[in-house]
Amino acid sequence: MKNIRNFCIIAHIDHGKSTLADRMLEITDTVSSREMEAQVLDSMDLEKEKGITIKSHAVQMKYSKDGQEYTLNLLDTPGHVDFSYEVSRSIASSEGALLVVDATQGIQAQTISNLYLALDHDLTIIPVLNKIDMEAAEPELVRDQVCDLLGCSQSDVLMCSAKTGQGVQAILDAIVDRVPAPTGDPDAPLQALIFDSVFNQFRGIIAYFKVEAGSIHKGEKVKFFNTGMEYVADEVGTMGLKLNPKNEISCGNVGYIISGIKSAVEVKVGDTITSVQNPCSEAIAGFEEVKPMVFAGVYPVETDEYDNLKVSLEKLQLNDASLVFEPESSMALGFGFRCGFLGLLHLEIVQERLYREFDMDCITTVPNVSFKVYTTDGNVLDVHNPSGLPEVTMIDHIEEPYIRAQVISKADFFGPIMKLCLDKRGTLVSQHYITTDRVELNFDLPLSEIVFDFYDKLKSISKGYASFDYHVTDFRPAQLVKLDILLNGEQVDALSSLIHRDHAYDFGRRMCEKLKDLIPRQQFDIAIQAAIGAKIIARETVRQVRKDVTAKCYGGDISRKRKLLEKQKKGKKRMRQVGQVQVPQSAFMAVLKL
């Protein structure tokens, strides 16, 4: 055990985590030069296209130092705030962390939040400055920032260029010297923590685990502690670029298990694997339960694809434990699922993966956050969907989630960022100059305001320099109203939304104007109205298609034309009572884009 080192790489987006992992794999000869490609650990096409890491990737390397051979288990993590749950799982499976900072950009918001996560788990931190070969690099300045943040000496900070490979050898030496070996009792009953899993259509579910105590053997009968299910370990092994079967995985090591599990519901991330013959007395304290921030309905385009969508979501959840879903139905869209996501990028990635990996065409409804509704009889309801709101007379007050947002930017963009946050109903909590031209701002903001376009706007006003990180703090009372859309007095549930009172009038008017263009004309007038309770705040009318019934009355008395028009008027009136207004699919999609 003393020759095992488990570590992860944490950093902000685009600071060079995956490139640094590439160089380490090359130096330790884990990957042959023939198999080598850029971002070799990013296995999904989506990750290569977008240039971001979405999943944590585990890989084992062998490294020799002073005549001793060491086993290094590396976990490469994502940098985007929407995938911070992946980072927390990697940190729980490691004893040390490489904190990578870009020498051209300095410390960013995500760097700080990932660092605090690692310090909470008592990980040994090795600070690394990357991209020192670039012209815009300021290694001395950034090194001082890192020393201030960590309270370490300048000699502790390692310099490297992951692109050229300069200084990477020193990092590997530092991992061996500074990161502690895993602790655990090799003779105790088996305890292994599942930190990830993936579905393979030929072999069933492959679960990745870290052995905390005891050891696991091929062919042994094992039990999953929380679900109580028993299996035979058909194959165990370690992760290189491919799976390497072994006869046993010893204490402190990271490995995988294949036991022919076919049902996705039986494997839970954070569960404990133990032996059937000699079981452990208690489970390892797993990871924190994930709290989704953004909710959206996901519906199949073809209604008979509902069961396929359910199976696809279960398989995807194995590989992405932060996805939460439950069944729901809508008058307009039929049967589907209410899904919880960690953010808008996460929603976009899940939608794209459903399409690519499972060939599922889905419609996603307007993303919203969950609210707490306090009723007059003293109950508290969690409402994810406007249609779940009780009657207005029953509501005492509504509370919405608030976040603490941390924005780090160049001082030049201080003004525009302040304005953006205040427009989104934010309040400034603190400001702090990290260096003479870098400022850190802390805001309290309602989560519902940042869900849609906040991140995009922040990037555009700061010319891409500002970095953004957040966590949910609490729920606070809010002036929220339910905005309904009525077609000829009939409410359309899929178009309802919960919105702040100040924005309701403007949003309602825009929605009516949009629907007027999209709803096809009928033989009768269609009234499109936006309403808050019984009060109509906006109206548009789709004009009827008329037939010229007076065409055959040429000349003669006007009363003959009048008579025909009166007759037509009565027919139109009767038709309006029995006529149905169909809302086309394109109308739902267009309203989402508002």
Side-chain angles (χ1 to χ4, degrees):
M1 266 176 72
K2 67 179 194 298
N3 287 1
I4 298 174
R5 301 286 182 271
N6 299 319
F7 69 100
C8 58
I9 306 182
I10 53 177
H12 189 74
I13 313 164
D14 220 15
H15 280 202
K17 296 179 292 298
S18 299
T19 316
L20 181 60
D22 288 355
R23 290 299 85 76
M24 289 182 170
L25 292 173
E26 272 184 354
I27 289 177
T28 56
D29 293 328
T30 309
V31 184
S32 66
S33 54
R34 196 166 58 85
E35 294 173 302
M36 193 62 207
E37 53 178 330
Q39 278 85 38
V40 68
L41 289 181
D42 291 351
S43 51
M44 266 187 268
D45 295 343
L46 256 178
E47 294 180 310
K48 296 251 199 296
E49 281 169 31
K50 290 184 178 281
I52 56 174
T53 304
I54 295 169
K55 285 288 305 162
S56 297
H57 299 279
V59 64
Q60 190 174 83
M61 307 180 286
K62 296 277 187 238
Y63 181 64
S64 298
K65 180 175 186 278
D66 305 334
Q68 282 269 19
E69 188 175 65
Y70 293 91
T71 301
L72 308 181
N73 289 312
L74 153 72
L75 288 150
D76 180 26
T77 64
H80 198 282
V81 61
D82 280 12
F83 303 115
S84 55
Y85 185 64
E86 288 284 327
V87 182
S88 73
R89 294 188 353 218
S90 303
I91 284 174
S93 317
S94 310
E95 279 86 36
L98 292 184
L99 182 74
V100 179
V101 181
D102 185 337
T104 61
Q105 296 191 358
I107 289 169
Q108 305 275 316
Q110 205 59 35
T111 316
I112 294 176
S113 87
N114 286 343
L115 170 68
Y116 287 152
L117 222 85
L119 290 174
D120 285 347
H121 283 81
D122 294 332
L123 263 62
T124 304
I125 309 288
I126 301 177
V128 174
L129 280 200
N130 191 13
K131 307 192 186 180
I132 55 168
D133 59 323
M134 290 180 73
E135 287 177 12
E138 298 173 328
E140 305 301 324
L141 190 73
V142 179
R143 183 168 63 185
D144 293 343
Q145 284 180 30
V146 174
C147 293
D148 286 349
L149 180 69
L150 287 171
C152 61
S153 68
Q154 292 200 346
S155 58
D156 291 343
V157 183
L158 303 172
M159 303 276 194
C160 82
S161 161
K163 197 172 176 183
T164 61
Q166 173 193 349
V168 179
Q169 189 91 39
I171 296 175
L172 287 165
D173 290 342
I175 290 166
V176 171
D177 295 338
R178 297 191 208 173
V179 176
T183 54
D185 183 358
D187 304 321
L190 169 66
Q191 266 188 324
L193 179 73
I194 300 177
F195 64 87
D196 203 358
S197 54
V198 60
F199 185 81
N200 181 315
Q201 67 190 67
F202 304 111
R203 313 208 54 185
I205 290 159
I206 304 173
Y208 301 131
F209 59 83
K210 181 189 175 195
V211 183
E212 300 281 354
S215 61
I216 186 167
H217 298 80
K218 182 181 176 176
E220 188 178 3
K221 234 186 155 191
V222 293
K223 177 173 135 188
F224 285 24
F225 206 94
N226 292 341
T227 57
M229 308 290 272
E230 296 184 4
Y231 308 100
V232 174
D234 295 336
E235 182 179 314
V236 294
T238 56
M239 284 91 70
L241 273 192
K242 300 186 176 67
L243 302 177
N244 306 322
K246 294 271 187 345
N247 284 327
E248 104 168 293
I249 303 291
S250 58
C251 184
N253 234 324
V254 176
Y256 71 90
I257 177 171
I258 299 175
S259 49
I261 308 168
K262 289 285 182 281
S263 166
V265 192
E266 294 172 27
V267 178
K268 291 268 183 290
V269 165
D271 202 348
T272 303
I273 305 176
T274 186
S275 164
V276 173
Q277 283 179 330
N278 183 12
C280 58
S281 53
E282 57 182 25
I284 304 165
F287 310 110
E288 73 249 40
E289 275 294 301
V290 58
K291 295 184 188 69
M293 305 295 167
V294 176
F295 294 88
V298 175
Y299 293 88
V301 174
E302 304 292 334
T303 39
D304 53 358
E305 288 281 297
Y306 175 78
D307 288 334
N308 290 353
L309 179 61
K310 184 177 183 200
V311 173
S312 303
L313 281 169
E314 281 174 357
K315 287 178 183 171
L316 190 58
Q317 193 178 32
L318 271 179
N319 197 234
D320 183 355
S322 49
L323 173 67
V324 185
F325 63 91
E326 57 185 37
E328 74 161 2
S329 64
S330 145
M331 296 276 286
L333 301 169
F335 291 100
F337 293 92
R338 182 106 203 127
C339 297
F341 305 96
L342 295 182
L344 275 196
L345 178 70
H346 187 208
L347 183 151
E348 189 188 318
I349 297 288
V350 166
Q351 210 176 348
E352 189 67 27
R353 284 184 71 183
L354 278 172
Y355 179 64
R356 288 188 186 199
E357 294 173 29
F358 304 101
D359 208 19
M360 286 299 314
D361 257 346
C362 303
I363 298 159
T364 314
T365 63
V366 187
N368 53 28
V369 299
S370 65
F371 300 94
K372 284 195 188 308
V373 178
Y374 289 80
T375 57
T376 46
D377 53 8
N379 290 332
V380 183
L381 307 173
D382 271 334
V383 174
H384 303 315
N385 203 342
S387 57
L389 213 60
E391 291 296 316
V392 183
T393 50
M394 296 289 296
I395 299 173
D396 180 50
H397 67 281
I398 303 177
E399 291 189 350
E400 65 175 339
Y402 263 71
I403 59 160
R404 175 64 53 87
Q406 180 188 45
V407 180
I408 295 179
S409 160
K410 285 195 164 181
D412 313 354
F413 308 117
F414 184 88
I417 291 172
M418 279 282 285
K419 183 178 183 309
L420 175 71
C421 293
L422 295 175
D423 286 350
K424 296 279 185 190
R425 303 192 280 129
T427 48
L428 181 65
V429 179
S430 64
Q431 63 186 58
H432 160 65
Y433 278 87
I434 300 172
T435 61
T436 47
D437 67 336
R438 289 175 71 73
V439 64
E440 177 192 324
L441 301 169
N442 287 301
F443 284 92
D444 277 350
L445 282 157
L447 181 61
S448 56
E449 293 284 343
I450 69 149
V451 160
F452 284 104
D453 53 357
F454 180 82
Y455 195 62
D456 296 346
K457 281 186 176 166
L458 180 69
K459 281 290 182 196
S460 56
I461 60 175
S462 65
K463 298 182 182 160
Y465 274 106
S467 65
F468 171 67
D469 180 51
Y470 65 87
H471 59 270
V472 173
T473 49
D474 55 353
F475 281 77
R476 301 182 193 179
Q479 289 287 312
L480 296 171
V481 289
K482 182 183 174 194
L483 183 71
D484 291 318
I485 298 294
L486 310 175
L487 296 179
N488 275 351
E490 294 279 321
Q491 192 179 322
V492 184
D493 73 330
L495 296 177
S496 299
S497 53
L498 270 174
I499 192 161
H500 195 263
R501 192 179 286 279
D502 297 348
H503 304 328
Y505 170 70
D506 182 46
F507 186 69
R509 202 184 69 241
R510 280 186 10 233
M511 229 159 156
C512 287
E513 286 168 1
K514 194 84 184 165
L515 285 170
K516 183 188 173 186
D517 298 339
L518 292 165
I519 291 179
R521 290 171 71 184
Q522 309 277 352
Q523 295 271 326
F524 50 90
D525 280 356
I526 303 171
I528 304 170
Q529 295 165 311
I532 298 173
K535 185 181 175 191
I536 306 292
I537 58 168
R539 171 184 169 131
E540 293 287 338
T541 308
V542 179
R543 287 279 165 224
Q544 62 194 22
V545 184
R546 295 189 63 138
K547 181 182 171 193
D548 189 2
V549 286
T550 60
K552 57 183 183 281
C553 300
Y554 44 90
D557 190 26
I558 186 71
S559 58
R560 286 173 64 203
K561 289 187 180 177
R562 276 255 78 53
K563 186 177 163 190
L564 278 170
L565 288 169
E566 285 301 320
K567 196 171 156 190
Q568 187 187 28
K569 202 170 172 182
K570 274 184 195 157
K572 295 272 187 200
K573 196 172 177 184
R574 195 166 65 250
M575 195 186 286
R576 180 170 178 179
Q577 285 161 358
V578 297
Q580 288 288 317
V581 183
Q582 293 293 328
V583 183
Q585 189 57 59
S586 59
F588 289 112
M589 302 310 279
V591 170
L592 300 192
K593 292 193 176 78
L594 279 181

